[in-house]
Coordinates of all heavy atoms in Angstrom, one line a residue:
A37 N 11.0 9.7 -0.6 CA 10.1 10.3 -1.6 C 8.6 10.0 -1.1 O 7.8 10.8 -1.4 CB 10.4 9.6 -2.9
S41 N 6.4 15.7 0.2 CA 5.4 16.1 -0.7 C 6.0 16.0 -2.1 O 7.2 16.0 -2.3 CB 5.0 17.5 -0.3 OG 6.1 18.3 -0.5
V45 N 10.0 16.7 -3.6 CA 10.7 15.7 -4.5 C 11.2 16.4 -5.8 O 12.4 16.3 -6.1 CB 9.7 14.6 -4.9 CG1 10.3 13.7 -5.9 CG2 9.4 13.7 -3.7
V53 N 7.7 20.2 -12.9 CA 6.8 19.5 -13.9 C 5.7 20.6 -14.4 O 5.2 20.4 -15.4 CB 6.0 18.3 -13.3 CG1 6.9 17.3 -13.0 CG2 5.2 18.7 -12.1
S59 N 15.4 18.1 -20.3 CA 15.8 18.3 -21.7 C 16.8 17.0 -22.1 O 17.3 16.4 -21.0 CB 16.6 19.5 -22.0 OG 17.8 19.6 -21.3
D61 N 19.7 17.1 -23.1 CA 21.1 17.5 -22.6 C 21.2 17.2 -21.2 O 22.3 16.7 -20.7 CB 21.5 18.9 -23.0 CG 21.7 19.1 -24.5 OD1 21.9 18.2 -25.2 OD2 21.6 20.3 -24.9
M109 N 62.5 -34.9 -9.0 CA 63.2 -36.1 -9.0 C 63.5 -36.8 -10.3 O 64.1 -37.8 -10.4 CB 62.5 -37.2 -8.1 CG 62.4 -36.8 -6.6 SD 61.6 -38.0 -5.6 CE 62.7 -39.3 -5.8
I116 N 53.8 -37.1 -15.5 CA 52.7 -37.0 -16.6 C 51.5 -37.8 -16.3 O 50.3 -37.3 -16.6 CB 53.5 -37.5 -17.9 CG1 54.5 -36.5 -18.4 CG2 52.3 -37.6 -19.0 CD1 55.3 -37.0 -19.6
I118 N 50.2 -38.6 -13.4 CA 49.5 -37.8 -12.3 C 48.8 -36.7 -12.9 O 47.6 -36.4 -12.6 CB 50.4 -37.5 -11.1 CG1 51.0 -38.7 -10.4 CG2 49.6 -36.6 -10.2 CD1 52.1 -38.4 -9.4
V128 N 36.2 -32.7 -16.4 CA 34.8 -33.2 -16.3 C 34.0 -32.2 -15.4 O 32.8 -31.9 -15.8 CB 34.8 -34.6 -15.8 CG1 33.4 -35.0 -15.4 CG2 35.4 -35.5 -16.8
Y134 N 29.9 -25.6 -16.3 CA 29.8 -24.5 -17.2 C 28.6 -24.5 -18.0 O 27.9 -23.5 -18.4 CB 31.1 -24.5 -18.2 CG 31.0 -23.4 -19.2 CD1 31.2 -22.1 -18.9 CD2 30.7 -23.8 -20.6 CE1 31.2 -21.2 -19.9 CE2 30.7 -22.8 -21.5 CZ 30.9 -21.5 -21.3 OH 30.9 -20.5 -22.1
L140 N 24.8 -13.4 -15.0 CA 24.0 -12.4 -14.4 C 23.4 -11.4 -15.4 O 22.4 -10.6 -15.1 CB 24.9 -11.5 -13.3 CG 25.2 -12.2 -12.1 CD1 26.2 -11.4 -11.3 CD2 23.8 -12.4 -11.4
T245 N 12.6 8.6 -9.3 CA 13.4 9.0 -8.2 C 14.7 8.2 -8.1 O 15.7 8.6 -7.5 CB 12.6 8.7 -6.9 OG1 12.2 7.4 -6.9 CG2 11.4 9.7 -6.9
T247 N 17.1 4.9 -10.3 CA 17.2 4.1 -11.5 C 18.2 2.9 -11.2 O 19.1 3.1 -10.4 CB 17.6 4.8 -12.8 OG1 18.9 5.5 -12.5 CG2 16.5 5.8 -13.2
L281 N 43.2 -37.9 4.7 CA 44.2 -38.7 3.9 C 45.6 -38.0 3.9 O 46.6 -38.7 4.0 CB 43.7 -38.8 2.4 CG 42.4 -39.8 2.2 CD1 41.9 -39.8 0.9 CD2 42.7 -41.1 2.8
L305 N 68.0 -40.3 -2.2 CA 67.2 -40.3 -3.5 C 66.3 -41.5 -3.4 O 65.2 -41.4 -3.9 CB 68.2 -40.3 -4.6 CG 67.5 -40.3 -6.0 CD1 66.7 -38.9 -6.2 CD2 68.6 -40.3 -7.1
A339 N 17.8 -34.0 -14.1 CA 17.4 -33.2 -15.1 C 16.2 -33.8 -15.9 O 15.2 -33.3 -16.5 CB 18.5 -32.8 -16.2
Q407 N -28.1 -23.8 -14.3 CA -29.0 -23.5 -15.4 C -29.6 -22.2 -15.2 O -30.1 -21.8 -14.2 CB -30.1 -24.6 -15.6 CG -29.6 -26.1 -15.8 CD -28.8 -26.2 -17.2 OE1 -29.1 -25.6 -18.0 NE2 -27.8 -27.1 -17.2
R412 N -31.1 -18.4 -11.5 CA -30.9 -17.0 -12.0 C -30.1 -16.1 -11.0 O -29.5 -15.3 -11.4 CB -32.4 -16.4 -12.1 CG -33.0 -16.9 -13.5 CD -34.4 -16.3 -13.6 NE -35.3 -16.9 -12.6 CZ -36.7 -16.7 -12.6 NH1 -37.2 -15.7 -13.4 NH2 -37.5 -17.2 -11.7
V476 N -19.9 1.1 -12.1 CA -20.0 1.5 -13.3 C -21.5 1.8 -13.6 O -22.4 1.1 -13.1 CB -19.5 0.5 -14.3 CG1 -18.1 0.3 -14.2 CG2 -20.2 -0.9 -14.2
L614 N 9.3 -11.7 14.1 CA 10.5 -12.4 13.8 C 11.7 -11.5 14.0 O 12.7 -11.9 14.6 CB 10.5 -12.9 12.3 CG 11.8 -13.3 11.7 CD1 12.2 -14.6 12.2 CD2 11.7 -13.5 10.1
L627 N 15.3 -17.8 19.5 CA 15.6 -18.6 18.2 C 14.9 -20.0 18.1 O 14.6 -20.3 17.0 CB 17.2 -18.9 18.2 CG 18.1 -17.6 18.4 CD1 19.5 -18.0 18.2 CD2 17.7 -16.6 17.2
S631 N 12.6 -21.1 14.9 CA 12.8 -22.4 14.3 C 11.4 -23.2 14.4 O 11.2 -24.1 13.5 CB 13.9 -23.2 15.0 OG 14.0 -24.5 14.5
Q654 N 21.5 -23.5 13.6 CA 21.2 -24.5 14.4 C 21.5 -25.9 13.7 O 20.9 -26.9 14.0 CB 19.6 -24.6 14.7 CG 19.2 -23.5 15.6 CD 17.6 -23.3 15.7 OE1 16.8 -23.8 14.8 NE2 17.2 -22.6 16.7
G677 N 19.6 -23.4 -3.1 CA 18.5 -22.4 -3.6 C 17.8 -23.0 -4.8 O 18.3 -23.6 -5.6
N698 N 9.5 -27.6 -14.6 CA 8.1 -27.7 -14.7 C 7.3 -26.9 -13.5 O 6.1 -27.1 -13.4 CB 7.6 -29.1 -14.8 CG 8.0 -29.9 -13.5 OD1 8.8 -29.4 -12.7 ND2 7.6 -31.1 -13.4
Q752 N 52.5 -47.7 -11.7 CA 51.7 -48.9 -11.5 C 50.5 -48.6 -10.5 O 49.5 -49.1 -10.7 CB 52.7 -50.1 -10.9 CG 53.6 -50.6 -11.9 CD 54.6 -51.5 -11.3 OE1 55.1 -51.2 -10.1 NE2 55.1 -52.5 -12.1
A765 N 34.6 -49.1 -9.4 CA 34.0 -48.1 -8.5 C 32.9 -47.3 -9.1 O 31.9 -47.0 -8.5 CB 35.1 -47.2 -8.0
V778 N 16.2 -44.4 0.7 CA 15.5 -43.1 0.3 C 14.6 -42.7 1.3 O 14.4 -41.5 1.5 CB 14.8 -43.4 -1.0 CG1 14.0 -42.2 -1.5 CG2 15.8 -43.7 -2.2

Side-chain angles (χ1 to χ4, degrees):
S41 66
V45 173
V53 295
S59 65
D61 292 339
M109 296 178 62
I116 292 172
I118 296 171
V128 171
Y134 178 73
L140 282 174
T245 59
T247 58
L281 290 176
L305 183 61
Q407 301 292 331
R412 281 177 291 182
V476 295
L614 167 71
L627 299 182
S631 177
Q654 297 172 339
N698 57 354
Q752 291 169 328
V778 175

